[in-house]
Amino acid sequence: MPTPSRPRSLPTLSALLIKLVLACLLPALLGVGIMIYMDYERDHTQLEENTRRSVQDKLETVDAQLAQAELFAQTLATNASLIQQDFATFHQKSLRLLKANNLNFTVFVYDASGQQLINTGIPYGERLLKRQDIANIQSVFASGQMMRSHIALRTSDGQPTVGILVPVFAGKKVIYALSVGFSPKNLNRLVEVHALQADGIAAIIDSNGAIASRSTEAEKIFGKKVSPQLLKKLETQSEGVFELTTFAGTQVLTTYRRSPRTDWTVVIAIPKKIIQTSLTRNLVVLVLGGMLLLGLSLGSAWVVGKRIAKSVRALHDAAVALGTGELTDMTAGATNETHELSQALQASAQLLIRRTQQLEAANANLLERSTELNEAQHIAHIGNWKWDAGTGVFFVSDELQRLYGQKILLPFAELKDKVFANAAWQELKTAAKATRQSKAGFALLLLTMAENDSQIWTRVSGEAVCNAAGEVTGLRGTLQNVDAYVKGEMALIDNAKRYRALFDESPEAIVVHLNGSVAFTNTSAVKLFEAAAEADLAGLSLNKFVHPDFQQAVAARMPSITQAGERVPPLELKFITLKGQTFSAQARSKELLLDGQRFVQTHIQDLTESKRHAADMARLRTELQDILAWQVAQHTVAALAHEVNQPLASASILCEVASRMLVIEGLSDDAKTEKFNRLKQTLQRITSEIARTGSVLRNLMKSVIQPDITRTPAMVNELVAESIQTAQEEGVFGYPVVTDYAVDLPLVKVNRLQLIKVLLNLIHNAAQAMHEATVANGKIWISTALAADGGEICIRVRDAGPGISTDLQAEVFEPFITTKSHGLGMGLTVSRALIEANGGKLWHSQDNGLGTTFHFTLPISS
């Protein structure tokens, strides 16, 4: 036999080793490069995130400082000393407040011409300058609105300052403009410690785009506008990150955020060259190190490959001779492995000759047994199969080939959609996988497709095939045609399954009983009667669950159900659970024929929650009406007491005066004495009765003004939601209610029913105002918020009506004052009394003719 020549296209061992080195090193080097780049990207992303957080923290600090100045200015603007023009007292009070609160502010007061009237930065009484730039002051006098934070240069010393201007009112007229200013040095300290990059730049920009503070050259560029590119970004987006070229020509990565409250902006810029330096350095090190490592590895692979090739070639001639069946001496290999291989080849040749003889004898015996097995399988409609995991080959017996044709000879993975449908295939695949893992057999009932594409039921069983080491090498099993048997069984249980599925899924509790004993129930009945499982109810007497007061009615109803064979009107009963709980329910029964027996099927609907809800709603409405009646009585008695007590007091005084001024002439001394005594007694009785009447009225007022009020902690948002639901049920003319709830509000301590009464009154008033004004698309807005000082919660109810007329605004909370076409005018009076009784305040404001807003506060529960 000629020796085959080696194809010229096959690679050498040296070449393979070189490729192996390249295959191992290049992915590793590439991976290191990717990791370096990913590390750079991660650092870059982390830097951006840290910068954003720093910007957010600094902006919150700036907002807090500006808000503190605004709050301080608004507080001083309402000081009585300033309104009464007592400037000396106001100057002293302002200094005390600044010192007490450790505030580094300066307070100014200007008249309409810009003349300073007060300056806490200098002692009181010294000469004050007139402000030159009075446009902002004139704007405050003209609009009556606060001029938010701005930057400017102080008139006195030309130093930069950040100021807030607020109007000072005397009645409805603006008499002064009050300014609270502070030095931007506080802001400079904030941007100087931004803790990001040594060469980074941080800046604070006011609402007009002017620089208020900067980490470098702060005084030099104070008040200058930022770059047009940043101004353009601020006009369209309140926050972001972008690349920017500074005035000095440096490329920087700029992160900014503008405050939605003050319109001030914090900016941090980091030079791009700092960010890119680490990436460039790491890539250079990677390239140089990779080239050196690659060169050393390729040289080593070439030397080792040459030595291995020399050892393998020593076995070439001996291996060719062994393939022809000749036993020849083999030269020892150049390596230990090739020497061992030569000895193994020689032993294998001897064993191969003996095994060939044994296999020929066994094959003849196997052929005879296979014929007998095929005949038995054909009679039983069963065949066997085997699958080899290593090769993927699928072996089957003759009976399976007859049943499924050539489709059964396909590779195991291709049996899907040809022998097994998708669902059956997935079930078989899952079972086979489990058997390979656990070595436990399986038996499945699957629907398969036979040779004529008809679907037949088969029983497929299988078990694991293991080698000597216990490793699973494949699967084997049987497949039997059980189509006729399965279809017969399925026809019997199909109806029962459908009925049971509908029965168990019913949301109503269903109890099926026979001759007064429970046969079976659904899941809802198990829960309703507080049983652990259906078995706990089966076999029990129906009377065990029916309340004794209703057992007679149930007993009278049963004969009519079984005789009529149809539904009868529902019956409201009381039932008892296994745990002794009683509940009301509605029961509907009908006859049910099962297996030739007449059962009774009863549907039970629990009425407990619906009855409880109806009772709670009735009780709540009664309590609210009682509160309303009490409040109306309170203010009615107060008004009557005020009107009656005054004339009675006057009458009492007049009687006393008359008794002193009585003059008796023309009578004898005895007659005068007697008449005088009688008149005096009469006047005394009148005085006593008048005093007693006043006392009775005062006691009555005290009894209605100081009732026993119970207050408990409650969540404001839940009370508002409950009030809205009640108001909508009672009717708000179809107007929608829009809510804006503040989250994580603390508890308030209030009388729950009184607060609901106030909210209902305000909601109905808002709806009534829009309805009488024929507002077509009106809405009612309700919001909750935590007060600035954190000690109260504020609730606002706003409508889209015409508002309250000017002549009634001051009297809207007075008794018997109303803007509606009907009513006593006591609603708002009662509401204010209820809010004040709960420790809060109630007031209203106008929205420029677009509606009215009622505000009230509630103290936080301590």
Side-chain angles (χ1 to χ4, degrees):
M1 182 178 180
T3 302
S5 61
R6 185 183 65 183
R8 295 182 179 272
S9 59
L10 293 178
T12 63
L13 284 173
S14 298
L16 288 176
L17 286 176
I18 290 175
K19 291 181 180 179
L20 177 61
V21 170
L22 291 175
C24 293
L25 286 181
L26 290 181
L29 294 175
L30 180 61
V32 172
I34 294 174
M35 290 176 63
I36 290 175
Y37 182 76
M38 290 177 64
D39 186 62
Y40 162 76
E41 286 293 323
R42 182 170 60 253
D43 291 344
H44 190 190
T45 303
Q46 185 62 42
L47 179 61
E48 289 186 5
E49 180 62 24
N50 293 341
T51 306
R52 286 195 185 94
R53 292 178 182 173
S54 181
V55 168
Q56 176 65 26
D57 293 343
K58 297 180 192 316
L59 186 59
E60 290 177 357
T61 304
V62 172
D63 281 354
Q65 190 160 357
L66 295 176
Q68 187 181 39
E70 288 182 10
L71 179 60
F72 189 72
Q74 291 173 342
T75 302
L76 291 179
T78 60
N79 191 277
S81 300
L82 180 59
I83 298 174
Q84 296 170 3
Q85 300 182 358
D86 187 357
F87 297 144
T89 302
F90 178 77
H91 190 276
Q92 294 175 357
K93 288 183 177 179
S94 299
L95 290 176
R96 285 198 301 270
L97 286 174
L98 290 170
K99 183 177 181 181
N101 292 278
N102 195 23
L103 299 176
N104 190 18
F105 295 158
T106 304
V107 180
F108 305 90
V109 177
Y110 302 94
D111 60 14
S113 66
Q115 175 62 47
Q116 290 187 11
L117 302 177
I118 294 174
N119 184 343
T120 60
I122 60 177
Y124 183 77
E126 292 189 9
R127 179 175 175 271
L128 301 176
L129 299 178
K130 183 176 181 179
R131 184 165 175 168
Q132 299 302 317
D133 54 333
I134 64 173
N136 290 338
I137 295 176
Q138 291 176 345
S139 175
V140 170
F141 273 91
S143 65
Q145 300 292 325
M146 176 180 68
M147 178 66 67
R148 287 193 177 274
S149 50
H150 60 281
I151 61 176
L153 296 176
R154 283 205 297 262
T155 304
S156 59
D157 54 9
Q159 292 298 316
T161 182
V162 177
I164 292 90
L165 277 170
V166 297
V168 180
F169 289 94
K172 295 184 178 180
K173 181 181 179 182
V174 180
I175 59 174
Y176 304 118
L178 185 145
S179 173
V180 172
F182 60 89
S183 171
K185 291 182 179 180
N186 296 337
L187 303 179
N188 291 343
R189 288 193 295 270
L190 179 63
V191 297
E192 287 172 358
V193 288
H194 53 84
L196 286 173
Q197 291 289 343
D199 295 334
I201 301 174
I204 299 175
I205 304 168
D206 74 352
S207 57
N208 296 319
I211 298 176
S213 179
R214 193 166 181 260
S215 58
T216 58
E217 300 180 334
E219 296 181 357
K220 181 178 179 181
I221 64 173
F222 175 81
K224 291 185 179 180
K225 293 289 186 179
V226 297
S227 69
Q229 188 177 357
L230 179 57
L231 283 175
K232 186 175 180 181
K233 287 286 185 179
L234 291 174
E235 291 175 357
T236 57
Q237 296 178 337
S238 61
E239 61 178 320
V241 179
F242 68 101
E243 294 185 5
L244 173 69
T245 303
T246 64
F247 293 119
T250 303
Q251 291 287 332
V252 294
L253 184 67
T254 304
T255 303
Y256 71 92
R257 180 178 177 86
R258 186 178 70 243
S259 170
R261 181 178 181 275
T262 62
D263 281 342
W264 280 51
T265 305
V266 172
V267 179
I268 293 180
I270 302 174
K272 288 192 65 179
K273 64 180 182 179
I274 297 177
I275 302 174
Q276 296 173 345
T277 299
S278 62
L279 176 62
T280 303
R281 181 177 62 253
N282 291 337
L283 289 178
V284 169
V285 172
L286 173 64
V287 171
L288 295 178
M291 293 177 62
L292 178 60
L293 178 63
L294 185 61
L296 293 175
S297 299
L298 292 178
S300 300
W302 179 261
V303 173
V304 173
K306 287 295 185 180
R307 184 173 180 181
I308 295 175
K310 180 179 180 181
S311 177
V312 172
R313 290 193 185 99
L315 296 175
H316 177 268
D317 296 336
V320 172
L322 180 62
T324 62
E326 300 177 3
L327 295 177
T328 60
D329 293 333
M330 298 184 182
T331 305
T335 65
N336 183 55
E337 286 79 7
T338 54
H339 176 70
E340 293 177 351
L341 179 59
S342 65
Q343 292 179 340
L345 289 174
Q346 192 168 5
S348 297
Q350 296 174 349
L351 181 61
L352 182 60
I353 295 173
R354 293 195 300 270
R355 289 292 177 89
T356 301
Q357 297 171 352
Q358 295 173 356
L359 287 176
E360 289 175 351
N363 184 56
N365 185 37
L366 180 61
L367 181 61
E368 181 180 356
R369 296 293 179 88
S370 178
T371 302
E372 296 174 354
L373 179 61
N374 288 338
E375 292 176 353
Q377 289 183 348
H378 179 69
I379 295 173
H381 300 288
I382 188 172
N384 61 292
W385 55 269
K386 184 177 181 180
W387 171 68
D388 187 276
T391 62
V393 177
F394 191 69
F395 301 94
V396 296
S397 64
D398 293 342
E399 178 60 18
L400 293 187
Q401 292 187 37
R402 183 192 65 78
L403 186 60
Y404 294 99
Q406 294 301 315
K407 294 187 297 182
I408 200 69
L409 298 177
L410 294 170
F412 187 76
E414 295 182 14
L415 295 178
K416 179 185 176 184
D417 297 330
K418 293 182 175 63
V419 175
F420 298 97
N422 183 58
W425 171 255
Q426 294 299 334
E427 189 174 354
L428 176 61
K429 184 178 179 182
T430 301
K433 182 178 180 181
T435 298
R436 293 182 64 187
Q437 294 175 348
S438 64
K439 301 180 182 179
F442 65 87
L444 303 175
L445 187 65
L446 301 176
L447 196 61
T448 61
M449 292 173 284
E451 177 64 12
N452 57 0
D453 290 334
S454 61
Q455 292 188 337
I456 60 174
W457 286 99
T458 56
R459 189 180 305 280
V460 182
S461 62
E463 63 181 11
V465 177
C466 302
N467 58 16
E471 300 173 341
V472 177
T473 60
L475 301 175
R476 64 187 176 192
T478 60
L479 188 150
Q480 184 179 12
N481 181 357
V482 293
D483 187 69
Y485 172 79
V486 171
K487 288 182 178 178
E489 288 291 327
M490 292 176 64
L492 293 176
I493 64 175
D494 185 60
N495 290 334
K497 283 185 177 180
R498 288 200 302 269
Y499 172 79
R500 186 65 194 191
L502 294 174
F503 183 83
D504 282 335
E505 291 173 1
S506 174
E508 286 187 324
I510 303 177
V511 178
V512 177
H513 45 97
L514 177 64
N515 299 326
S517 297
V518 177
F520 55 92
T521 64
N522 66 351
T523 304
S524 298
V526 173
K527 294 180 180 178
L528 184 61
F529 288 105
E530 296 183 318
E534 180 183 354
D536 295 338
L537 302 177
L540 298 178
S541 172
L542 185 63
N543 287 336
K544 180 178 180 61
F545 305 103
V546 179
H547 193 276
D549 296 342
F550 295 87
Q551 289 182 1
Q552 186 175 358
V554 173
R557 176 68 64 94
M558 287 303 168
S560 61
I561 296 173
T562 55
Q563 292 174 5
E566 58 184 9
R567 296 179 185 269
V568 295
L571 183 65
E572 186 171 336
L573 307 171
K574 281 188 177 180
F575 291 87
I576 305 173
T577 69
L578 290 180
K579 296 182 179 179
Q581 299 296 324
T582 303
F583 64 94
S584 298
Q586 187 182 72
R588 307 188 318 275
S589 299
K590 68 175 182 178
E591 185 185 35
L592 181 66
L593 188 62
L594 293 175
D595 297 331
Q597 291 183 300
R598 295 182 181 273
F599 291 78
V600 175
Q601 178 173 296
T602 301
H603 295 249
I604 303 172
Q605 182 181 2
D606 188 5
L607 302 178
T608 303
E609 289 299 324
S610 60
K611 287 181 176 291
R612 183 183 296 115
H613 177 72
D616 289 344
M617 293 301 296
R619 177 180 54 77
L620 180 60
R621 289 189 174 89
T622 301
E623 290 176 354
L624 291 176
Q625 292 300 326
D626 291 342
I627 291 175
L628 176 61
W630 167 71
Q631 292 294 337
V632 172
Q634 170 188 336
H635 290 282
T636 303
V637 171
L640 291 175
H642 176 73
E643 297 296 332
V644 173
N645 201 35
Q646 185 174 0
L648 288 178
S650 299
S652 177
I653 294 173
L654 290 175
C655 288
E656 292 179 3
V657 173
S659 65
R660 296 191 187 99
M661 297 178 62
L662 182 63
V663 177
I664 303 174
E665 297 178 355
L667 298 175
S668 64
D669 293 336
D670 294 336
K672 290 178 181 180
T673 300
E674 182 180 357
K675 186 174 183 180
F676 176 80
N677 291 333
R678 287 200 305 271
L679 181 58
K680 184 176 181 180
Q681 291 175 357
T682 301
L683 291 175
Q684 289 175 348
R685 290 183 60 188
I686 293 174
T687 303
S688 176
E689 288 299 322
I690 292 174
R692 189 171 67 85
T693 303
S695 176
V696 170
L697 290 175
R698 285 192 297 273
N699 291 335
L700 179 59
M701 289 176 61
K702 183 177 180 181
S703 65
V704 297
I705 292 177
Q706 298 178 352
D708 182 18
I709 299 177
T710 300
R711 289 188 287 174
T712 57
M715 298 180 68
V716 169
N717 290 344
E718 290 185 358
L719 295 178
V720 172
E722 184 177 345
S723 303
I724 292 173
Q725 181 179 358
T726 303
Q728 289 175 335
E729 291 176 355
E730 296 177 352
V732 288
F733 302 103
Y735 292 117
V737 179
V738 181
T739 58
D740 182 12
Y741 296 135
V743 298
D744 299 330
L745 288 177
L747 296 176
V748 294
K749 195 170 185 180
V750 296
N751 184 287
R752 186 183 185 90
L753 295 179
Q754 290 180 355
L755 183 58
I756 291 176
K757 172 58 187 173
V758 172
L759 286 167
L760 286 175
N761 186 44
L762 295 180
I763 293 172
H764 285 305
N765 283 354
Q768 184 71 31
M770 293 188 292
H771 178 69
E772 293 191 353
T774 64
V775 177
N777 298 317
K779 294 181 181 179
I780 302 173
W781 291 271
I782 303 179
S783 65
T784 61
L786 185 65
D789 59 3
E792 295 178 320
I793 293 177
C794 184
I795 298 93
R796 298 178 179 86
V797 180
R798 179 165 66 91
D799 60 51
I804 302 174
S805 60
T806 305
D807 55 343
L808 288 180
Q809 287 186 16
E811 302 176 345
V812 69
F813 292 104
E814 296 298 323
F816 311 112
I817 300 298
T818 181
T819 61
K820 296 187 290 188
S821 59
H822 62 280
L824 297 175
M826 294 295 292
L828 291 176
T829 306
V830 170
S831 296
R832 171 175 276 186
L834 290 177
I835 293 300
E836 291 177 350
N838 283 275
K841 297 179 181 179
L842 172 64
W843 70 96
H844 75 93
S845 63
Q846 294 294 113
D847 295 336
N848 298 325
L850 298 178
T852 303
T853 302
F854 282 89
H855 316 253
F856 66 90
T857 61
L858 295 171
I860 293 174
S861 175
S862 58

